[in-house]
Amino acid sequence: RKRAGTSSQYKGVTWAKATGKWQASVGGDYLGQFEFEEDAALAYDNAAIKKYGSYARGSGLTYGPLAARGGSS
């Protein structure tokens, strides 16, 4: 399900129209640009875990570290 008011269905991921790539950021930290939306979401999840630890909220991606621990949203 797409999040209201965003270009991506994943938290922390947006479409960079100028470059034609997906970009991710968490808590004001820019994580880079990615060819695939899912790669940007996974980068967000990994960075959120590093930054917020057990308080991290995932991007909504169904695989990756947060999904493995049962908290992907």
Side-chain angles (χ1 to χ4, degrees):
R1 185 176 117 197
K2 186 175 184 296
R3 294 178 182 271
T6 66
S7 59
S8 173
Q9 62 182 329
Y10 302 112
K11 180 179 179 182
V13 177
T14 58
W15 177 250
K17 190 174 181 180
T19 61
K21 295 186 178 186
W22 294 98
Q23 60 187 26
S25 62
V26 61
D29 296 333
Y30 177 73
L31 303 175
Q33 295 188 345
F34 303 86
E35 292 291 323
F36 301 102
E37 185 179 18
E38 291 80 9
D39 291 341
L42 187 57
Y44 174 91
D45 286 349
N46 290 332
I49 289 170
K50 286 182 183 176
K51 187 167 186 148
Y52 300 113
S54 63
Y55 297 101
R57 293 192 61 209
S59 64
L61 194 61
T62 58
Y63 64 91
L66 291 181
R69 71 173 194 187
S72 63
S73 63

